[in-house]
Amino acid sequence: MKVLIVEDDPLHRSYLHEAVNAALPECDTVIEAENGTAGEKLARDHKSAHIVMDLQMANRNGIEAARTIWKERPETRILFWSNYSDEAYVRGVSRIVPDGAAYGYVLKSASDERLKLALRSIFIESQCVIDREVRGLQQKSLGQTNGFTDSEYEILVDIALGLTDRAIAKRRSLSLRSVQNRLQQLYDKLDVYQTAGDDHEDGRFNLRARAVTIAFLRKLLNYSALERAEAELQEWLDEK
Amino acid sequence: MKVLIVEDDPLHRSYLHEAVNAALPECDTVIEAENGTAGEKLARDHKSAHIVMDLQMANRNGIEAARTIWKERPETRILFWSNYSDEAYVRGVSRIVPDGAAYGYVLKSASDERLKLALRSIFIESQCVIDREVRGLQQKSLGQTNGFTDSEYEILVDIALGLTDRAIAKRRSLSLRSVQNRLQQLYDKLDVYQTAGDDHEDGRFNLRARAVTIAFLRKLLNYSALERAEAELQEWLDEK
DNA sequence: CGCCGTCTTGCGTAAACCCGCAGCTTGTTG
DNA sequence: CAACAAGCTGCGGGTTTACGCAAGACGGCG
């Protein structure tokens, strides 16, 4: 049994290496990659390998890497190991996991025990293991309680990218008015108004920009989500 | 001689601990804090301590902590140790360093040697040590070559927060038109137009929102800068 | 002092944005 | 099937943005 570790930080890499050795005596080979690109290549070379993957990496982030790896071999088991439980990451991951694939998501702040347990559960028992904190977000982002619909999230990303209403309409095949409807819906959910008016006319906010800011501060969006969205946008621009 | 380590991640914390022991045999006490708040308190208790500080921490980030520490004891020597060299961080740091204070900025990707050397230079020799990469940014952000003026940066932050032109005018004591002038200036520098028009009328951008996105992608802004700015904004809103 | 560049401000306009109102299409439920 | 909720769409209008044009204000510099 082989395990591939994809992780930026040398300290964390060697820590993972040890953890894998300790938790999985049946594992005979551990390979390391220090960024997403190298990770993809090694995953291709060692087809049977299970993967432990960091999410935020400079060169090519974990979500990108996981996506291409899963595209080639959907049955690959991947354990995501991340510092953050931002909704943006969680959403990003659940967007790309293939049907029925075994995967995991544990936070770097988890104890040694938790990590080792997760390693065994996923790689040996083929179970999904998702940290409680992360799980909470996942529920919210799927269930409609309080969380965001896909269409709301979509339009959030679109204005975050800086598209005009018209451009969004074209991209999503909607009428201009519908786009604006969704925007209002988004403004509602994000509570842009409360912070906005207070009741003085003075400190008014630009709703569109404010919505993005709030989303950022609430970690509905983050750098890597923006980066991905920007790439998709460019793609779309090119083909249109 | 005492050294205080303020760092989120337990792995990095113990690594730093070792590095300090190895580089500074004259250091008899090493104290650790795992977030900004705890760091501030320990800094108060151990007045003579030199500090190694992580920048991005969950609870209270390094810049905040450093600011209050320096406010109480401006001669404190602080070595910032960070994963990133985003302009947003660099700018944030140079904004708060007291006149003539000895400080340092080294990246986590630096070699052991570099770190140890920096430790000795700052804590023993009272020299400023700033990683080459970081230094580059610093030049740019101070000199006007290609970089951003303070007033440009200021307005960037303001629209990122989601303020309207009018609100910005009020906050910065400018006329509405001046605010808009600065905005245009900003749009120029950020090259919002190039990506915008291409030459089709189709894929138009909302300049204001797009500018923020570009700034984010170029790391002129980041989460912690936004967070700080938001706090300042709230403060201003309250008193006005 | 007069010339010049940079910054500020006002006026005016076209476009984009925010949104209430109202008619339509769906899918759901009793 | 009737009734109802939810989403899409057009219309209309009030507000905000983006920006050209031009008139001052301020600070060097020959």
Side-chain angles (χ1 to χ4, degrees):
Chain A
M1 172 174 163
K2 293 184 205 168
V3 170
L4 166 60
I5 294 172
V6 188
E7 161 71 67
D8 243 330
D9 184 324
L11 259 52
H12 286 159
R13 208 159 55 229
S14 71
Y15 169 74
L16 274 181
H17 199 132
E18 279 176 42
V20 167
N21 282 340
L24 299 167
E26 48 273 87
C27 165
D28 47 66
T29 327
V30 179
I31 320 154
E32 299 185 357
E34 64 177 1
N35 62 57
T37 321
E40 289 172 21
K41 174 174 303 198
L42 286 177
R44 246 190 299 274
D45 294 349
H46 302 265
K47 293 200 183 306
S48 64
H50 301 317
I51 302 179
V52 184
M53 171 96 68
D54 187 18
L55 278 185
Q56 39 284 147
M57 293 179 292
N59 184 322
R60 181 163 173 75
N61 74 49
I63 294 185
E64 303 282 356
R67 181 157 57 181
T68 75
I69 290 171
W70 265 333
K71 199 171 293 171
E72 296 174 14
R73 275 200 320 128
E75 74 282 8
T76 309
R77 304 202 191 137
I78 304 183
L79 172 59
F80 295 99
W81 195 56
S82 165
N83 254 318
Y84 309 100
S85 59
D86 297 2
E87 178 151 349
Y89 282 127
V90 176
R91 199 180 273 273
V93 168
S94 42
R95 219 176 259 291
I96 60 164
V97 39
D99 289 348
Y103 79 105
Y105 194 132
V106 325
L107 296 175
K108 288 193 179 177
S109 58
S111 65
D112 288 16
E113 267 326 295
R114 213 132 104 225
L115 174 60
K116 289 177 188 164
L117 215 104
L119 285 168
R120 289 203 71 79
S121 304
I122 297 169
F123 294 161
I124 310 282
E125 314 287 350
S126 314
Q127 294 188 90
C128 285
V129 177
I130 289 143
D131 254 10
R132 176 172 281 93
E133 278 186 71
V134 178
R135 189 70 200 158
L137 281 184
Q138 216 173 41
Q139 304 286 23
K140 241 187 9 187
S141 80
L142 295 182
Q144 59 286 52
T145 359
N146 176 24
F148 289 76
T149 328
D150 279 339
S151 67
E152 284 157 0
Y153 186 74
E154 202 176 61
I155 207 165
L156 170 61
V157 170
D158 282 342
I159 59 170
L161 285 173
L163 294 171
T164 58
D165 292 2
R166 199 192 314 283
I168 299 175
K170 198 155 292 177
R171 184 174 187 199
R172 306 298 182 188
S173 307
L174 288 172
S175 76
L176 212 156
R177 189 60 180 90
S178 292
V179 171
Q180 295 172 332
N181 263 340
R182 292 190 179 185
L183 279 176
Q184 281 183 254
Q185 204 175 326
L186 181 70
Y187 298 154
D188 266 347
K189 286 224 182 163
L190 284 176
D191 243 13
V192 187
Y193 303 102
Q194 188 172 4
T195 62
D198 248 16
D199 67 333
H200 280 70
E201 289 287 315
D202 267 3
R204 256 274 197 14
F205 283 111
N206 175 320
L207 299 179
R208 172 177 289 248
R210 186 63 182 167
V212 176
T213 314
I214 292 183
F216 242 100
L217 291 175
R218 293 212 195 138
K219 316 217 176 180
L220 300 173
L221 278 180
N222 62 20
Y223 179 82
S224 92
L226 242 193
E227 204 179 16
R228 256 176 299 139
E230 173 72 15
E232 280 168 24
L233 172 63
Q234 288 305 332
E235 219 170 283
W236 178 77
L237 280 178
D238 287 347
E239 76 188 29
K240 163 56 215 73
Chain B
M1 170 175 165
K2 293 184 206 170
V3 170
L4 166 60
I5 294 174
V6 188
E7 160 71 65
D8 243 330
D9 184 325
L11 258 52
H12 286 160
R13 206 158 57 230
S14 70
Y15 169 74
L16 274 180
H17 198 134
E18 279 175 43
V20 168
N21 282 339
L24 300 167
E26 49 273 88
C27 165
D28 48 65
T29 328
V30 178
I31 321 155
E32 299 186 358
E34 62 176 1
N35 63 57
T37 322
E40 289 172 22
K41 174 173 304 195
L42 286 177
R44 247 189 299 273
D45 295 348
H46 303 265
K47 293 201 183 306
S48 64
H50 301 317
I51 302 179
V52 183
M53 171 96 68
D54 186 18
L55 277 185
Q56 39 284 148
M57 292 179 294
N59 186 322
R60 182 164 172 75
N61 74 51
I63 294 185
E64 302 284 354
R67 180 158 57 181
T68 74
I69 290 171
W70 265 331
K71 199 171 292 171
E72 296 173 15
R73 275 202 318 131
E75 73 283 9
T76 310
R77 304 202 191 139
I78 303 184
L79 171 58
F80 295 99
W81 194 56
S82 166
N83 255 316
Y84 311 100
S85 60
D86 297 2
E87 179 152 347
Y89 282 126
V90 176
R91 199 180 274 272
V93 168
S94 43
R95 217 176 260 291
I96 60 165
V97 39
D99 289 348
Y103 80 105
Y105 195 131
V106 325
L107 296 175
K108 290 192 178 178
S109 58
S111 65
D112 288 15
E113 267 326 295
R114 217 133 97 231
L115 174 60
K116 288 177 188 163
L117 213 105
L119 284 168
R120 288 202 72 78
S121 304
I122 298 169
F123 295 161
I124 310 283
E125 315 288 349
S126 314
Q127 293 188 93
C128 285
V129 177
I130 289 143
D131 254 9
R132 177 172 281 95
E133 280 186 69
V134 178
R135 189 67 199 159
L137 280 184
Q138 216 174 41
Q139 304 286 23
K140 240 188 10 187
S141 81
L142 294 182
Q144 58 285 55
T145 357
N146 175 27
F148 289 76
T149 329
D150 279 340
S151 67
E152 284 158 358
Y153 186 75
E154 202 175 62
I155 208 164
L156 170 61
V157 170
D158 283 341
I159 59 170
L161 285 174
L163 295 171
T164 58
D165 292 3
R166 198 191 316 282
I168 299 175
K170 198 154 291 177
R171 186 175 186 196
R172 306 298 183 188
S173 306
L174 287 172
S175 76
L176 212 156
R177 189 60 180 89
S178 291
V179 171
Q180 296 171 331
N181 261 342
R182 293 192 177 184
L183 278 176
Q184 282 183 254
Q185 204 175 327
L186 181 71
Y187 298 156
D188 266 346
K189 286 223 183 165
L190 284 177
D191 243 13
V192 188
Y193 303 102
Q194 187 172 6
T195 62
D198 250 13
D199 65 336
H200 280 69
E201 288 288 315
D202 268 3
R204 255 277 196 10
F205 282 111
N206 175 319
L207 298 179
R208 174 178 287 248
R210 186 64 182 165
V212 176
T213 313
I214 292 183
F216 242 100
L217 292 175
R218 292 213 196 138
K219 315 215 177 184
L220 300 172
L221 278 179
N222 61 20
Y223 179 82
S224 92
L226 242 193
E227 203 179 18
R228 256 176 298 139
E230 172 72 15
E232 281 168 23
L233 172 63
Q234 287 305 333
E235 218 170 283
W236 177 77
L237 280 179
D238 287 347
E239 77 189 27
K240 165 59 212 74

